[in-house]
Structures are given as C-alpha cells and as structure tokens.
C-alpha cells in the first residue's frame, strides 16, 4: 500500500506505523459501517463489462472520523477524533475488488 508522508501533518502516526497497521483500526465504528456500506453498494452497481472501476459513494466525498488510539482511545469514542473527507474508487481488476482511497482533513489543520 502507498502512504503519503503528508498524512503525518494531521495524524499522530509515522508513515511506518501506518503501513504496519490497518486503516480500519483508525476509524470510529460509525465510520467503518459507512465505508463498508458504500463499498458494498459499489459492488452491487451494474456497470458495463468493459469498465474495471466505479467510484465509491457515487463519487461524493464521505465525512469519516479518525481516532488516535495511541491516546488510550481503544474504543474509538465518537466525540474524539479528526473529521476527514474520504473519496475512493473500487477497482475490479485482479482476483478481488479493492478500494483506493484518499483522505483530506476537514477544516484547518495547524499541525500536531
């Protein structure tokens, strides 16, 4: 997987820590449900056979919440965390579909 070093400007993790972890572990439970539901919707969309990808959430940004579990927030408490916009594409090449996503903080980030 690819991880941009710019992510360290708004997350309290190094790129190495993020590459050694699961993205799902950084999300609140509601955010996990939203992304998984959008992924399943993308799988169900009828698309022409020659198309090998489809946008997640019909191409709209989704607002999700990342939580810093380093601070002892193991449960992903909803009122803690950082709101980010997520956009993604579901690709159907290879053996199984995969989703490539980008995240961008909502609002101004002054650094951590």
């Amino acid at each position: 997987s690819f991880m941009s070093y710019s992510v360290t400007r708004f997350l309290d993790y190094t790129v190495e820590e993020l590459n050694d972890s699961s993205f799902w572990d950084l999300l609140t439970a509601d955010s996990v449900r939203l992304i998984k539901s959008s992924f399943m919707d993308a799988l169900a969309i009828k698309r022409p056979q020659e198309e090998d990808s489809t946008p997640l959430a019909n191409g709209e940004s989704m607002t999700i919440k990342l939580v810093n579990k380093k601070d002892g927030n193991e449960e992903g408490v909803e009122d803690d965390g950082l709101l980010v916009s997520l956009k993604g594409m579901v690709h159907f090449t290879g053996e199984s579909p995969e989703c490539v996503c980008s995240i961008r903080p909502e609002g101004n980030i002054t650094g951590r």
Side-chain angles (χ1 to χ4, degrees), residues 47-101:
R47 64 189 190 325
Q49 191 169 3
E50 65 274 4
E51 290 184 17
D52 62 356
S53 62
T54 191
L56 194 64
N58 297 316
E60 298 294 322
S61 291
M62 294 185 290
T63 300
I64 61 168
K65 190 175 281 190
L66 301 176
V67 290
N68 185 354
K69 295 184 180 178
K70 281 181 166 181
D71 292 339
N73 187 3
E74 293 300 323
E75 299 300 316
V77 177
E78 294 296 320
D79 60 349
D80 293 335
L82 174 67
L83 289 177
V84 297
S85 294
L86 179 139
K87 288 190 92 168
M89 287 293 290
V90 178
H91 298 278
F92 299 98
T93 57
E95 293 183 20
S96 59
E98 69 174 9
C99 187
V100 177
C101 297

Side-chain angles (χ1 to χ4, degrees), residues 16-68:
E16 292 77 20
E17 288 174 313
L18 291 169
N19 277 330
D20 291 338
S21 67
S22 170
F23 180 66
W24 301 110
D25 292 338
L26 301 175
L27 299 168
T28 62
D30 284 345
S31 294
V32 169
R33 283 190 287 276
L34 177 64
I35 295 169
K36 286 185 176 184
S37 175
S38 296
F39 183 74
M40 295 305 291
D41 289 347
L43 293 178
I45 291 175
K46 289 271 190 201
R47 64 189 190 325
Q49 191 169 3
E50 65 274 4
E51 290 184 17
D52 62 356
S53 62
T54 191
L56 194 64
N58 297 316
E60 298 294 322
S61 291
M62 294 185 290
T63 300
I64 61 168
K65 190 175 281 190
L66 301 176
V67 290
N68 185 354

